[in-house]
Amino acid sequence: MNKPILCIGTYAQTPFHMEKIGRNVFCIEELCYCIVQNAFLLDEESFGDDLFEWIEKECSLVKLADELKGMASKKCSVAALAGTILDYVGYNTRKEIERTESILRENAGMDIYSKKLARADFLMRSEKYSMAFKEYEFLLENTPDIDLSIRARIEHNEGVMYARLFLFDRAAELFMKAYEDGKNEESYMQYLAALRMKMSDEEYVKFVAEDKQAYETSLELEKKMDEYSDLYAASDDNHVIGTLGVYKAEGKMHEYYEKIGELTESIKSKYRETVKEKTVGSRR
């Protein structure tokens, strides 16, 4: 059992909106959690006078607010400001604090475009697709001389997000653009995979049969699909589903519903853990 954490300050009547991550926080501990979990998304704008005023008035932490204002007036780094908040509150471990400060220091050395690219990649990996799309589109629209390899990387990642949203038409378009700009075979394979998902079997076979490159790449794609299929067949999830089918077919309804209950509780438990990790303490 983890040791209890002694909360400090007061619970805010008015939340502080963290613009960079699109979240409201209601107490200083929530702020610390968000800083640590989203360090890659934060910059100088995230630690301004509005935050210091909120800490002073809403959280009743006058001493901390005064210290932060003094540091800001001396042009202290974002890493130093974040570290001061985290150290003062004591909500996070020393390892988490050091990691957060390291990320913020590294971010400070990047130009605005490198920051936005790194932030967009982080958002995509975190499945915050709407925010990731905005960052990627900003880069594409505001850097006319953008390197083709970077453009291809952005287009590929956008294709990945569209595919995960089951928008395979758009995903195929982006993967093809990425291939045309970057000549990366992985983008072309993902292009075929998106087509495979959106076309009927007859349409897809006809398409790859009429194009030598598509045909040769499709063979490699099918090989990978078979490998993934084998992995799923050996997975616990597939085993559970198979067991349910057997119980139902044999009329063992007690065992069937018992297994359904276990599966439901497992899904609920995973969901609670996900919510705890991503939105702990969030009260909107």
Side-chain angles (χ1 to χ4, degrees):
M1 181 176 180
N2 294 331
K3 65 179 182 179
I5 297 173
L6 182 63
C7 296
I8 65 173
T10 56
Y11 188 81
Q13 295 299 310
T14 302
F16 180 76
H17 183 68
M18 300 186 73
E19 183 68 30
K20 296 294 182 181
I21 64 174
R23 178 176 296 179
N24 288 339
V25 295
F26 285 80
C27 65
I28 197 69
E29 287 78 20
E30 287 184 55
L31 176 67
C32 290
Y33 176 85
C34 288
I35 289 173
V36 169
Q37 294 298 315
N38 301 277
F40 222 107
L41 307 181
L42 306 178
D43 55 22
E44 293 82 358
E45 296 177 0
S46 305
F47 296 86
D49 291 338
D50 53 345
L51 174 61
F52 307 150
E53 289 296 321
W54 180 80
I55 290 173
E56 177 182 345
K57 295 178 180 177
E58 294 290 338
C59 298
S60 304
L61 297 172
V62 178
K63 183 178 178 181
L64 174 59
D66 286 344
E67 184 174 357
L68 293 169
K69 290 176 184 177
M71 293 175 67
S73 68
K74 297 176 183 177
K75 307 296 182 184
C76 289
S77 69
V78 171
L81 291 168
T84 297
I85 295 173
L86 298 175
D87 281 331
Y88 187 93
V89 177
Y91 176 79
N92 302 95
T93 65
R94 171 48 49 187
K95 185 176 181 180
E96 289 174 330
I97 294 173
E98 290 175 353
R99 172 181 169 276
T100 301
E101 290 177 328
S102 176
I103 290 172
L104 291 171
R105 279 194 295 270
E106 290 173 6
N107 281 0
M110 296 181 183
D111 60 61
I112 182 63
Y113 297 105
S114 297
K115 282 184 181 180
K116 283 191 170 290
L117 182 59
R119 182 177 296 150
D121 291 344
F122 177 83
L123 287 166
M124 186 196 78
R125 292 194 299 271
S126 303
E127 299 182 358
K128 298 177 180 178
Y129 299 143
S130 177
M131 296 173 70
F133 275 124
K134 289 180 181 178
E135 296 288 0
Y136 283 137
E137 288 306 310
F138 174 90
L139 288 167
L140 292 175
E141 293 171 5
N142 292 278
T143 48
D145 57 344
I146 190 170
D147 185 85
L148 273 182
S149 63
I150 299 298
R151 178 179 290 277
R153 170 180 162 184
I154 292 173
E155 290 164 341
H156 183 95
N157 287 350
E158 288 191 326
V160 169
M161 292 190 290
Y162 277 119
R164 290 177 180 174
L165 295 170
F166 303 99
L167 300 172
F168 297 114
D169 278 332
R170 185 64 178 140
E173 291 176 16
L174 268 299
F175 284 132
M176 177 49 75
K177 285 184 178 180
Y179 175 69
E180 291 171 347
D181 288 335
K183 304 306 178 187
N184 189 310
E185 292 299 325
E186 179 63 23
S187 293
Y188 188 76
M189 183 175 291
Q190 294 304 325
Y191 162 69
L192 287 184
L195 291 182
R196 191 178 188 276
M197 295 301 295
K198 85 181 189 72
M199 290 179 168
S200 66
D201 289 345
E202 293 78 6
E203 289 173 329
Y204 179 72
V205 170
K206 184 175 185 296
F207 174 81
V208 298
E210 294 175 350
D211 185 290
K212 182 179 179 181
Q213 181 184 12
Y215 174 74
E216 292 176 350
T217 305
S218 72
L219 296 179
E220 183 64 26
L221 174 62
E222 293 307 312
K223 182 181 177 181
K224 287 193 173 186
M225 294 290 288
D226 289 340
E227 290 174 356
Y228 295 144
S229 179
D230 290 341
L231 286 173
Y232 177 75
S235 69
D236 291 339
D237 287 345
N238 187 55
H239 177 70
V240 169
I241 292 172
T243 301
L244 287 172
V246 172
Y247 283 156
K248 191 171 184 180
E250 294 179 353
K252 297 179 179 179
M253 302 314 292
H254 174 73
E255 291 86 347
Y256 175 78
Y257 286 114
E258 187 176 65
K259 202 68 176 177
I260 286 285
E262 292 176 4
L263 182 60
T264 302
E265 285 305 312
S266 175
I267 293 172
K268 286 181 179 179
S269 178
K270 290 178 181 178
Y271 175 75
R272 292 189 192 104
E273 286 301 314
T274 300
V275 171
K276 180 180 178 182
E277 290 173 3
K278 294 187 176 182
T279 61
V280 65
S282 180
R283 305 175 185 85
R284 297 186 180 228

